Structures are given as structure tokens and as C-alpha cells.
Amino acid sequence: MLFASASGKAYALNASSEFIGERLSRGISLEELLAQMCARYPNENPDELKRSLCLYLGQLKTLGYIEGFDGKAVDATPTPSDALPDEAKSNALPENHLLYKGNSMARVFVLGDILVVKDLPLEEFSRGDIVAFKFPDAKDGIVHRIVKMAADGFVTMGDNNSVPDGWIVTVADRPRLVVERIDVAGRHHCISRGRVGMLAFRWHRCRYWTRRLLSKIYRFVFPR
């Protein structure tokens, strides 16, 4: 288990992350760790192993579980670091990777997930897609689901929010499709979109209102 002294949070390790964590505790270099990972997984592509390892270490550093990792090795794409936006630099992530924070998409994403996004023409988005976009009042950007199409964009909503967003996302907000999430253990998960995404959205809404109803019943039966 990893423990972040600053936040008091703990993270349970699986076999692969335990292998990495145990060697990090010895103070070995990234090159030595990568060599041991290649020996442990001889059938894996070394370049892909390096990419996954650097991404995982970047996640742990961002979440406060490790210190001393310089972050430069996390740049797993040939994109120059000077070309990355400020939030990507601060998270030591490639430009098409975002660190998920917040609660509006709970049960779809977990705090600390890395979201892989890609640019699409506006006309290729559809109801049920999950998009990441910039908005003037949002410091870190927003990740919500498309629930309604409009003439010049679309309306979004968080699966865990009570009402849709009060604006229309347009091309000026640079919406990008969320195609994959990478959890803190380095596992990749595809993101449903379109009709399947809307089915997931309706299920999450059903669970949301059920929780609200049960909470009201509980407060009525057991008043303070």
C-alpha cells in the first residue's frame, strides 16, 4: 500500500504496481526500473512498457504518492514540452491526456484517472459521447456527457449532476472526445459513446434519483 502523507490518502497496490513500488523504495533509477520491467514482461514491447511506466509514475506523482520523480520522463509522446498547455505541463502528461478531478462523472471516472482524448469535427459528436472542453468560468476545464444536440453545438451534463449545464458547447470551447480512461493501476478502459453511452447515462440517472429518494426517506424516518 502507498500512503500520501500530505493528504492522508492510501492506495492499494496490485501485483504489477507492488513490483514497481517495492523497487522505487530502493531508490533505483527509471532506467533500472524499466530494465527490470522488460525482464519481468519479456513478451511486451519495450517502448510500450516505457510509455505505460512513465504514465503510471506521472499519475502517482500528481496524486502525491511519490516524490522525486522529475516528470520529464513522463513525456511519452514526441510533442515538445513547450507546446503543451499549462495544465498538461503541471500534470507532466501528454497534451491528449487529462487528469480527472471532481465528482460530476462519478461511477464513470474515478479521481486520479487519466483520460485519453482526441479532436473531432463538431458534426461527428453525438448524444451519449463524453467530451472534455474549456469554459471561461471553469479553471481546469470540464468533462461531461452530451445530452442534447444544438444547431451550433451541444448541451452537456454530468452524470452525477442534478440538471444539464446552462450553456451550449461550441467549436470555440474546443470539445474533445474522451475515448479511453487509464486507472491508477495502468489498466485501459474504453469509453462507450452514442446510443450505448446514453444507456449508461440513463442508468446513472436512475441510480442518482434513487439515492436522493432513499436519502429523503432516511431523514424522514430518522430525523436528527
Side-chain angles (χ1 to χ4, degrees):
M1 177 172 289
L2 296 180
F3 177 74
S5 56
S7 64
K9 294 181 178 180
Y11 166 51
L13 303 175
N14 61 16
S16 297
S17 53
E18 181 182 3
F19 177 87
I20 295 171
E22 192 275 332
R23 280 150 183 79
L24 286 176
S25 66
R26 303 178 188 173
I28 68 173
S29 67
L30 177 64
E31 290 72 20
E32 292 174 314
L33 178 56
L34 180 61
Q36 293 188 25
M37 291 287 290
C38 290
R40 180 181 173 88
Y41 303 104
N43 296 326
E44 297 292 333
N45 184 301
D47 291 336
E48 183 61 26
L49 271 179
K50 180 178 180 180
R51 176 184 177 279
S52 297
L53 176 61
C54 291
L55 186 60
Y56 176 63
L57 294 180
Q59 286 177 272
L60 293 182
K61 177 185 177 182
T62 301
L63 295 172
Y65 288 113
I66 61 173
E67 298 177 352
F69 185 58
D70 62 13
K72 296 179 181 179
V74 181
D75 188 6
T77 68
T79 306
S81 60
D82 289 342
L84 300 178
D86 291 341
E87 68 271 18
K89 289 180 182 179
S90 63
N91 292 334
L93 294 173
E95 198 270 346
N96 67 328
H97 289 61
L98 306 174
L99 178 68
Y100 177 73
K101 296 180 287 185
N103 188 54
S104 63
M105 293 297 290
R107 282 165 293 283
V108 180
F109 305 125
V110 179
L111 180 67
D113 280 348
I114 297 297
L115 308 184
V116 182
V117 299
K118 74 173 183 178
D119 291 284
L120 279 183
L122 200 65
E123 60 272 13
E124 292 189 18
F125 289 98
S126 61
R127 290 177 68 237
D129 293 352
I130 297 177
V131 294
F133 57 93
K134 284 290 187 181
F135 198 73
D137 296 332
K139 178 181 179 182
D140 298 321
I142 298 175
V143 177
H144 280 174
R145 192 185 300 273
I146 300 174
V147 294
K148 182 180 179 181
M149 303 304 296
D152 56 348
F154 41 77
V155 177
T156 55
M157 179 178 178
D159 285 18
N160 201 40
N161 285 356
S162 56
V163 296
D165 300 326
W167 58 78
I168 293 179
V169 178
T170 67
V171 67
D173 302 310
R174 198 199 171 186
R176 291 183 288 172
L177 179 69
V178 179
V179 297
E180 189 178 44
R181 79 176 180 93
I182 306 172
D183 61 30
V184 292
R187 296 182 293 261
H188 293 244
H189 308 266
C190 292
I191 302 301
S192 300
R193 56 177 306 202
R195 292 183 178 180
V196 178
M198 282 305 295
L199 287 174
F201 173 75
R202 293 188 180 102
W203 170 243
H204 296 150
R205 299 309 299 156
C206 180
R207 294 184 59 179
Y208 173 83
W209 288 112
T210 299
R211 291 194 308 273
R212 292 283 298 269
L213 177 60
L214 292 177
S215 176
K216 289 182 178 180
I217 294 174
Y218 179 87
R219 288 197 298 268
F220 177 79
V221 176
F222 303 102
R224 294 183 178 179

